[in-house]
């Protein structure tokens, strides 16, 4: 079994698979058409705004009710972790229809002391705004 899935509870594993499928469908993978290149400035702003909303206490689902809608997947956020601070690191990279960006997060879960981790996000701008945590980087 893939170790990335072994550490997930069954609900999270299924959620990850569904969200990955949605991301692929939204990005146009497999339909024979190429997706438009990522709008880098829009992607950077979308990532920053998404993280600010997490820090302010929003839920991932609440971002789908806003205009423009943002589809978000982050297991720490969905799992109830509080975002204390974040730093978008230099060196993001546009790759086809996505922007790949590293972010240093300071998270607090329950009563535990805040902890830092560096993660990678994949941000898309077409046909909808998407911010997905890369589980494999």
């Amino acid at each position: 079994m893939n170790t990335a899935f072994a550490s997930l509870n069954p609900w999270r594993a299924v959620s990850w698979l569904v969200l990955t499928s949605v991301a692929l469908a939204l990005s146009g993978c497999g339909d024979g058409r190429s997706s438009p290149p990522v709008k880098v400035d829009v992607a950077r702003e979308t990532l920053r705004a998404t993280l600010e909303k997490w820090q302010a206490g929003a839920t991932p689902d609440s971002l789908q009710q806003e205009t423009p809608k943002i589809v978000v997947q982050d297991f720490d956020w969905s799992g109830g972790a509080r975002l204390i601070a974040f730093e978008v690191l230099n060196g993001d990279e546009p790759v086809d229809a996505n922007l790949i960006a590293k972010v240093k997060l300071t998270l607090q879960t329950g009563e535990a002391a805040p902890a830092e981790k560096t993660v990678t996000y994949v941000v898309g701008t077409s046909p909808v705004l998407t911010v997905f945590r890369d589980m494999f980087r």
Side-chain angles (χ1 to χ4, degrees):
M1 174 181 259
N2 185 326
T3 56
F5 289 112
S7 64
L8 296 176
N9 68 37
W11 179 87
R12 285 189 173 182
V14 169
S15 296
W16 184 84
L17 289 172
V18 169
L19 288 169
T20 301
S21 299
V22 169
L24 291 173
L26 292 175
S27 69
C29 290
D31 67 0
R33 295 176 284 167
S34 64
S35 298
V38 66
K39 296 175 185 168
V40 174
D41 291 340
V42 173
R44 287 179 181 143
E45 175 57 25
T46 299
L47 177 60
R48 185 195 58 73
T50 298
L51 294 171
E52 286 176 350
K53 290 174 186 200
W54 180 5
Q55 193 172 26
T59 65
D61 291 339
S62 70
L63 276 67
Q64 292 189 43
Q65 309 310 315
E66 297 189 3
T67 303
K69 170 172 92 168
I70 304 172
V71 179
V72 178
Q73 173 272 312
D74 184 294
F75 290 119
D76 285 320
W77 190 356
S78 297
R82 205 170 106 223
L83 181 60
I84 305 297
F86 69 90
E87 177 186 356
V88 179
L89 304 175
N90 290 332
D92 58 15
E93 178 183 7
V95 177
D96 300 324
N98 299 301
L99 180 72
I100 311 301
K102 292 204 179 292
V103 179
K104 182 167 62 170
L105 304 175
T106 304
L107 301 173
Q108 184 169 21
T109 305
E111 298 298 319
E116 286 185 356
K117 65 164 81 172
T118 299
V119 301
T120 302
Y121 284 99
V122 179
V123 184
T125 57
S126 180
V128 298
L129 301 175
T130 57
V131 177
F132 292 109
R133 176 90 144 293
D134 187 334
M135 302 249 329
F136 302 106
R137 291 187 196 195

